[in-house]
Amino acid sequence: MDATATRLMMGAAGLSGDSPVEYVTTSATGNVTSSSNRTLTLTGLSAGDVVIGMISNRSSSAPATSSGYISITTNTAGFFGNYRSIRLQYKVVTGSSETMSWLGYGGLAVAYRNFTGIGQVGNYSSTFPTSSVPTPAMSSLDTSGRGLVFVVTYAIGVINSISSPYTVRFNTWGAAANNTLSSISSKTMGLSASVYPVSTAIEIL
């Protein structure tokens, strides 16, 4: 099922929005097989950078929002007690490093510069396992070329391919940088194994 939410516009006040959103750094746990207290740390940041976090569970409930972060959306796939769930969250940082902690399974933290807000949000999920996970249908996107669309699935570390305009980043997520498309749909992520497909996309402005 696809669901595209309204534009959130939860940004850092005072930015002009003229400069393109730029990737800074990332940290990820990889694909883990047990629930535990986990921490990811990013360095080399500047005040005003945004950290986008994805945290996951093998249950029908996504992990609680990390301290200091704002939840963007949650998404769950599976059935009969065999579930996969994710939460996307964000934080505008004030220093040169950031630590994100949560109780759950795997996670991912990605930092971007020149952030002004979160735009469209989309979720896809299904009860049928597959190694070709659809990305959420996204519409009403900003076409100026300064923003990007970020997409992630539960299966951290096993994304082998992804449909254009997305590109795979470090085998853990996809990004359509400098986006000028008003909509993105009918795209897929190729994984190394079949999973209960759950994917979430957000527009970073």
Side-chain angles (χ1 to χ4, degrees):
M1 178 176 64
D2 285 308
T4 302
T6 56
R7 191 174 296 275
L8 300 179
M9 292 308 297
M10 303 180 294
L15 296 183
S16 68
D18 292 334
S19 300
V21 174
E22 296 179 359
Y23 167 78
V24 180
T25 188
T26 188
S27 182
T29 62
N31 190 18
V32 300
T33 58
S34 63
S35 179
S36 183
N37 288 301
R38 305 193 183 280
T39 298
L40 292 174
T41 299
L42 298 175
T43 59
L45 307 180
S46 297
D49 290 349
V50 66
V51 174
I52 304 295
M54 190 280 282
I55 52 181
S56 68
N57 259 344
R58 291 190 178 184
S59 73
S60 59
S61 298
T65 307
S66 300
S67 177
Y69 281 73
I70 297 174
S71 181
I72 300 171
T73 187
T74 62
N75 194 9
T76 300
F79 70 112
F80 293 140
N82 196 356
Y83 293 99
R84 302 291 185 267
S85 59
I86 60 178
R87 179 185 300 276
L88 256 67
Q89 57 188 9
Y90 84 102
K91 180 180 181 180
V92 178
V93 304
T94 58
S96 61
S97 64
E98 171 61 21
T99 297
M100 183 181 76
S101 301
W102 74 99
L103 173 62
Y105 282 73
L108 166 73
V110 184
Y112 286 100
R113 191 153 291 158
N114 302 323
F115 173 72
T116 61
I118 302 294
Q120 300 294 337
V121 179
N123 286 313
Y124 174 88
S125 63
S126 173
T127 58
F128 299 100
T130 180
S131 60
S132 183
V133 176
T135 67
M138 302 290 283
S139 60
S140 301
L141 299 172
D142 180 86
T143 59
S144 68
R146 69 161 304 274
L148 62 86
V149 182
F150 172 100
V151 64
V152 69
T153 183
Y154 174 89
I156 303 172
V158 293
I159 301 175
N160 293 326
S161 63
I162 194 167
S163 302
S164 177
Y166 294 110
T167 56
V168 178
R169 298 302 308 267
F170 303 102
N171 295 322
T172 56
W173 83 94
N178 305 116
N179 179 60
T180 59
L181 300 175
S182 62
S183 63
I184 301 176
S185 62
S186 302
K187 308 300 181 181
T188 58
M189 290 178 280
L191 308 183
S192 60
S194 291
V195 297
Y196 287 105
V198 54
S199 62
T200 295
I202 61 171
E203 183 185 23
I204 304 174
L205 300 171

